[in-house]
Amino acid sequence: MERLQKILAQAGIASRRKCEEMILAGVVEVNGEKVTELGVKADPAVDVILVNGKPIRNEKKVYVMLNKPKGVITSASDPQGRKIVSDYLPGIRERVYPVGRLDYDTEGLLLLTNDGEFANLLTHPSHHVPKTYYATVKGVPHGTLLDQLKKGVKLEDGMTAPAEVEYQDVNTEENTSTVRITIYEGRNRQVRRMFEAINHPVVRLRRVKFGELGLNNLARGQFRHLTPVEVKELREAARKSHKVHKK
């Protein structure tokens, strides 16, 4: 017997947190009875579990890395008709969803999966999986400003955790500079807000690493499946980071 939200996540319905929301919304039934509270347990081998009236089934687990282009929505659909990440996943029949988000104007490494436990492990706030970006910003932030990012800057939702920051390039003609930044949190638009806080707004943002997994030669708009070793390493990195920060 396992918690219902865990069963739904393992069946590829959505992330565990999203599955909890679906239970509370009353769209899940177990053996003909609607479930509207968390904590209910079931056995997927015995119980009949429906979501929106349809039985769940355990899909083959899929783990994908996409080099997301700028101007693409990180969601399953868009009422405004803009391009969504699934438009770039031809041939994948399973219903995969993003692990975390990249905003509309941000490009680069995006993981997608139908494994809710895996997604939850990598995005849970207590796990601190590092994410590395190249941020091209207006002007050239001098050393003391970069030191602020390294120590943490105050945003409207609180101080950021210390980041790793280093110059990559300076374009004197365009008066921009490119900074490599690694963060250990997953707040909404965090990197953009950090640079806005030191008055050097981002003009281009690209994520190049998730944990130790890098884009390498994956072309923009292309995807590939993760290897079993890569999936295992990401799991281990999240668990290891959780133990380190728990001390």
Side-chain angles (χ1 to χ4, degrees):
M1 299 284 280
E2 289 188 297
R3 287 182 182 272
L4 191 53
Q5 59 265 40
K6 185 175 182 180
I7 294 169
L8 298 180
Q10 288 175 336
I13 301 300
S15 69
R16 187 157 57 175
R17 275 176 284 182
K18 184 67 177 176
C19 289
E20 288 174 353
E21 293 173 11
M22 295 171 80
I23 292 168
L24 294 172
V27 300
V28 180
E29 291 181 22
V30 177
N31 298 328
E33 292 193 16
K34 189 179 290 186
V35 178
T36 56
E37 57 186 49
L38 305 178
V40 173
K41 292 187 176 182
D43 182 348
V46 176
D47 298 313
V48 178
I49 303 170
L50 306 182
V51 176
N52 289 315
K54 296 180 180 177
I56 67 167
R57 57 188 177 86
N58 284 315
E59 291 184 313
K60 179 186 76 172
K61 295 292 184 281
V62 176
Y63 308 90
V64 169
M65 176 170 68
L66 169 70
N67 187 348
K68 179 183 111 54
K70 181 179 178 179
V72 176
I73 299 292
T74 309
S75 69
S77 61
D78 180 54
Q80 297 178 39
R82 293 171 293 185
K83 278 194 171 292
I84 57 176
V85 288
S86 59
D87 294 336
Y88 292 86
L89 304 174
I92 293 185
R93 294 192 178 91
E94 293 82 6
R95 184 173 60 178
V96 296
Y97 46 86
V99 178
R101 303 182 74 81
L102 288 180
D103 66 41
Y104 182 73
D105 290 322
T106 301
E107 55 194 289
L109 197 161
L110 180 68
L111 298 177
L112 300 104
T113 186
N114 59 349
D115 183 341
E117 286 298 293
F118 177 76
N120 187 62
L121 188 65
L122 293 186
T123 56
H124 197 279
S126 68
H127 289 165
H128 305 276
V129 179
K131 292 170 278 289
T132 301
Y133 298 79
Y134 283 137
T136 301
V137 303
K138 289 183 180 178
V140 183
H142 52 74
T144 55
L145 291 176
L146 293 190
D147 285 343
Q148 287 183 38
L149 299 181
K150 290 177 184 178
K151 294 173 185 173
V153 293
K154 189 171 184 179
L155 304 178
E156 61 268 25
D157 51 357
M159 289 290 291
T160 63
E164 296 170 26
V165 186
E166 62 176 304
Y167 277 119
Q168 292 295 305
D169 190 27
V170 175
N171 187 326
T172 52
E173 288 183 11
E174 296 184 3
N175 189 31
T176 61
S177 51
T178 300
V179 178
R180 177 186 171 99
I181 179 169
T182 299
I183 62 172
Y184 293 83
E185 302 169 283
R187 303 192 209 178
N188 185 40
R189 302 183 75 255
Q190 181 174 338
V191 173
R192 292 182 185 276
R193 291 191 293 138
M194 288 173 73
F195 279 101
E196 284 167 9
I198 62 167
N199 297 313
H200 287 275
V202 170
V203 294
R204 184 189 178 197
L205 187 60
R206 181 165 63 105
R207 184 157 72 194
V208 294
K209 286 182 79 175
F210 196 117
E212 291 302 311
L213 183 70
L215 273 175
N216 299 326
N217 297 321
L218 188 65
R220 185 180 298 144
Q222 298 298 305
F223 77 93
R224 71 168 178 83
H225 291 270
L226 300 189
T227 67
V229 170
E230 288 170 334
V231 173
K232 182 182 177 185
E233 286 176 347
L234 283 168
R235 287 186 195 276
E236 289 176 350
R239 292 192 181 107
K240 182 179 176 182
S241 178
H242 177 60
K243 288 178 183 175
V244 168
H245 285 84
K246 204 174 179 184
K247 288 180 181 178

